[in-house]
Amino acid sequence: MTVTPPARSPRRRVPRNTLNPDRILDAAVALLDRHGPEAFTMRALAQELGVGTMAVYSHFKGKDEIIDAVNERLLGEIELPSGGSGPPRGQLIELCVGVYRLFSEHPSALQLLTSRPLRGDEAIAVIDRMLCLLIEAGLDPSAAARAQVALMQYTVGAALWVVRRKRAECEEAEAGLRERIRGRLADLPPDSYPSLVGLAPELVAAQQSGRAQYEGGLSALLDGLLRT
C-alpha cells in the first residue's frame, strides 16, 4: 500500500520586484527584536520576508552589513536637540531620554551596541552632540569626556534593566513574577534586613516605574556631573 505524503503548503512569497533595502531592514529589526543577534541569520531573514536567501544578497553583501545598517537606522531615530533649543541641561535630558527610549523599545539596538563597535554617522552624531552640550554647560574637556561616558553607562544600564525585566515578566507571566517578588520581600526577617523590609513597597514601585525612575536618576546624575 502506497501512502501519499501530505502536501506541503507553499511558502508565501512577496510579489516580484517589491523587495528593497527598506523592507529588508524592517524585517531585520523585527527579527532582531524578537530573537536577538545570536539567532539572526540570512536564512531566517529570508523566511521572515518570504523570499529566497539569494534575493536578500542582491541588496546586501551579508549579515554584518545588514546589522550595521539596522544599527544606523535605529540610532537615526534619536532626535538631536538643535542649538538654541534651551539650556544645555535640558537638552542633555532630552537627548539621553531619546537614547533610553530607543534602547528600551528596541532590544536589538541595545544588544548591537554592546556587542559590536559603533559605526556610521548617526552614532558619532549622538556622541558629538552630547559632548558639545556638556562643554556648553561649563565642563572642561576632561570632565566632559568622563560625564559623557557616565551618562551613556547609566542610560545603557537602565535600558538593559527594563528590557530584561520585561522579558522575565513575559516568560514568567503565569507564575506571577511581581507577586513572587512581593512575597519574598514580605518573608524576609525584619531583624536581619530592616531597611529592605521597611521600604519593600517603595522599592517595588521604583522597580516598576520604568521611564520615570530613569529620568529621576538621570536628573540626579546630571546635578552631580554639572556641579563639578
Side-chain angles (χ1 to χ4, degrees), residues 85-106:
S85 59
R89 186 182 186 281
Q91 294 186 58
L92 281 165
I93 290 177
E94 180 184 348
L95 180 54
C96 289
V97 168
V99 175
Y100 169 82
R101 185 187 303 115
L102 170 67
F103 289 157
S104 58
E105 293 177 357
H106 287 288

Side-chain angles (χ1 to χ4, degrees), residues 142-162:
S142 178
R146 292 196 301 270
Q148 191 274 330
V149 172
L151 289 171
M152 285 301 294
Q153 287 175 335
Y154 172 65
T155 299
V156 171
L160 182 60
W161 172 282
V162 170

Side-chain angles (χ1 to χ4, degrees), residues 9 23 36 49 58-59 74 97 105 138 163 166 176 178 188 201 208:
S9 58
R23 288 201 57 195
L49 288 160
S58 66
H59 294 276
L74 291 176
V97 168
E105 293 177 357
V163 168
K166 287 180 180 178
R178 295 182 182 181
L188 292 174
Q208 295 174 355

Side-chain angles (χ1 to χ4, degrees), residues 11-102:
R11 181 172 60 184
R12 180 182 60 83
R13 290 185 174 272
V14 299
R16 186 180 296 274
N17 298 326
T18 62
L19 192 65
N20 56 58
D22 283 338
R23 288 201 57 195
I24 292 173
L25 293 181
D26 287 342
V29 170
L31 196 60
L32 285 163
D33 279 341
R34 286 202 310 271
H35 302 299
E38 300 83 3
F40 183 83
T41 64
M42 294 294 281
R43 182 177 180 182
L45 178 58
Q47 291 176 342
E48 179 85 5
L49 288 160
V51 301
T53 305
M54 294 309 298
V56 182
Y57 278 108
S58 66
H59 294 276
F60 292 94
K61 295 178 181 178
K63 182 178 74 172
D64 288 345
E65 185 177 12
I66 292 176
I67 288 179
D68 287 340
V70 166
N71 215 0
E72 186 80 353
R73 170 191 273 202
L74 291 176
L75 289 170
E77 294 181 5
I78 301 172
E79 295 185 9
L80 301 181
S82 58
S85 59
R89 186 182 186 281
Q91 294 186 58
L92 281 165
I93 290 177
E94 180 184 348
L95 180 54
C96 289
V97 168
V99 175
Y100 169 82
R101 185 187 303 115
L102 170 67

Side-chain angles (χ1 to χ4, degrees), residues 208-227:
Q208 295 174 355
S209 58
R211 178 172 164 179
Q213 171 64 26
Y214 166 74
E215 291 188 9
L218 175 63
S219 180
L221 179 59
L222 280 171
D223 285 345
L225 290 172
L226 299 184
R227 236 191 336 260

